[in-house]
Amino acid sequence: MTSRTTTRLYPTKNDLPEASRREAIGLLNQRLADCIDLQTQSKQAHWNVKGPSFIALHKLFDEINGDVAGYVDLLAERIVQLGGIAEGTVGVVAERSTLVDYPLALSTGAEHVAALSDALAEFGRTARVGIEEMNELEDADSADILTEISRGVDKWLWFVEAHQQGG
Ligand SMILES: [Fe+2]
């Protein structure tokens, strides 16, 4: 973990044990950093994609960005509900994200499809790890949020990967 990790826990009448809440907050902040990174990566793809599939991919990548912004909010607000501090600044995300940094030189649709599908797949994998972690902490609501998020990310992975399939 990074030195920026906060330890402050606000009191709450939420009945989840304090130790579980503290652990869940740390794990959810990790997923939050990855999710914000994924959101910026989809915008990066939206802005820079070129080629014959421009308009379809330009619109698809923006739709993904919009949904991922919703996932970011779900994660951040769950952290705060548990008494934690949502750590979503660009500086923290740059330090903490586990996603591969999005390559700046990409231009073709195929290149962006390859890069963004990698990011979606990796994020989906870590979200599923997160579901297991939340189940172990008996935090069913955080597990449910991560299930909703991974379900959405899997759908977007399908939409993006379909451009590589059927050839
Ligand atoms: Fe736009």
Side-chain angles (χ1 to χ4, degrees):
M1 285 301 251
T2 156
S3 56
R4 286 179 190 246
T5 301
T6 56
T7 52
R8 178 156 192 191
L9 198 65
Y10 287 89
T12 166
K13 291 170 186 165
N14 186 307
D15 69 321
L16 284 171
E18 184 178 317
S20 304
R21 286 192 288 117
R22 194 179 290 281
E23 202 168 336
I25 288 162
L27 293 164
L28 290 170
N29 263 316
Q30 179 60 60
R31 297 288 75 76
L32 177 64
D34 292 347
C35 200
I36 293 170
D37 194 357
L38 180 64
Q39 189 194 345
T40 68
Q41 293 199 17
S42 52
K43 260 302 190 200
Q44 182 72 16
H46 164 72
W47 292 322
N48 290 295
V49 68
K50 298 185 190 303
S53 301
F54 167 77
I55 196 64
L57 290 173
H58 178 68
K59 287 181 174 174
L60 172 61
F61 296 156
D62 211 28
E63 274 188 70
I64 295 172
N65 170 75
D67 267 17
V68 175
Y71 309 151
V72 164
D73 219 42
L74 282 171
L75 287 168
E77 292 177 0
R78 180 64 186 164
I79 290 163
V80 177
Q81 288 159 27
L82 293 173
I85 294 172
E87 298 170 354
T89 63
V90 169
V92 167
V93 170
E95 248 179 39
R96 195 176 288 168
S97 173
T98 61
L99 298 185
V100 174
D101 201 21
Y102 200 80
L104 296 177
L106 307 184
S107 67
T108 69
E111 288 170 339
H112 283 288
V113 162
L116 198 61
S117 60
D118 280 349
L120 286 162
E122 176 57 14
F123 182 79
R125 187 188 71 76
T126 60
R128 274 182 275 281
V129 170
I131 294 167
E132 288 309 309
E133 290 168 342
M134 295 306 129
N135 283 335
E136 280 168 26
L137 293 170
E138 299 186 344
D139 181 351
D141 306 290
S142 294
D144 182 63
I145 285 169
L146 285 165
T147 303
E148 176 182 341
I149 290 171
S150 63
R151 193 173 62 234
V153 164
D154 278 4
K155 186 193 81 172
W156 289 124
L157 178 60
W158 163 43
F159 272 53
V160 174
E161 277 191 318
H163 293 85
Q164 299 171 315
Q165 299 164 342

